[in-house]
Structures are given as C-alpha cells and as structure tokens.
Amino acid sequence: MRRSFLFGIIPLLLLLATNEVVAHATLDHAEPRVGNKVATLPREVTLWFTQKLEPAFSSITVTDSAGERVDTGKTRVTGSQMSVSLRPGGVGTYHVTWHVLSADTHKMDGSFTFQVGQ
C-alpha cells in the first residue's frame, strides 16, 4: 500500500516542481542575439521574456569593453518585451545585464555578451 502511494505521488511532485520553474520570467530571445557578432553597434538592445514584466522593477544595463555604460538608462517595458537605447560606440565586446520582476512576483536576472566589429 505504502509503496504504491509513493509511486503515485512522485510523478505528481515532479510535475509540480517542473511547473514552478516554468513560472519564472526567463529570457526567450534578444536582439542583438546572445553571443552574436554584428557589424555596427545597434541603436537599442531588446529582450523578450516568457512572462509579462513589472516595468518599475525591470531594467537593462549595457557596457562596452572598457566597462563603461553605453545605454541611456531609460529601460522601456511593454508586456513581456524590454528594451533600452544605446549611445554610439565602437568595436569590441558588449555586456548586457538584465534584472526583471515578472507579473507573478518572481525576480530573475542574467547577462550575455555580443560582439561589434568586422
């Protein structure tokens, strides 16, 4: 009896644990793409997430190879999309760092790089 109960409850617990992970707003895709190489610095970085974001608690920071900020500091959030404009910059590696609070109140953050140059 006890053994069959465990075999019945374990799949249910795994299903619940999987749904909890899916509930967080994770990065779906970005432009420029994660790890991509582009010829010139784009005018903005745009990120798409798997859930709607809370604008007041979500932001993007972009720094150049020297660690200097190249974003304008004015992150725009619409639904599950977030973007920030960039100042002109040169070739090199750019580091994008993001922090979000999803509508379900889960905080997530992450970062990635992209390259600018020939």
Side-chain angles (χ1 to χ4, degrees), residues 18-99:
T18 303
N19 284 341
E20 180 63 27
V21 172
V22 173
H24 297 358
T26 57
L27 181 63
D28 184 55
H29 64 283
E31 188 59 44
R33 292 180 297 189
V34 175
N36 199 29
K37 188 171 189 176
V38 295
T40 60
L41 186 65
R43 291 183 181 199
E44 69 179 13
V45 168
T46 303
L47 310 178
W48 288 266
F49 291 85
T50 57
Q51 282 191 359
K52 185 176 176 182
L53 306 175
E54 290 295 334
F57 302 101
S58 301
S59 65
I60 305 172
T61 303
V62 182
T63 55
D64 62 14
S65 300
E68 299 293 322
R69 281 186 72 168
V70 296
D71 64 89
T72 61
K74 297 178 182 175
T75 302
R76 299 175 307 281
V77 176
T78 304
S80 62
Q81 180 180 328
M82 180 167 68
S83 57
V84 67
S85 297
L86 303 179
R87 296 190 252 297
V91 299
T93 301
Y94 287 80
H95 190 116
V96 178
T97 304
W98 52 268
H99 304 279

Side-chain angles (χ1 to χ4, degrees), residues 2-15:
R2 193 168 218 210
R3 189 174 192 180
S4 64
F5 174 75
L6 285 177
F7 284 122
I9 195 74
I10 288 174
L12 179 61
L13 292 174
L14 289 173
L15 179 64

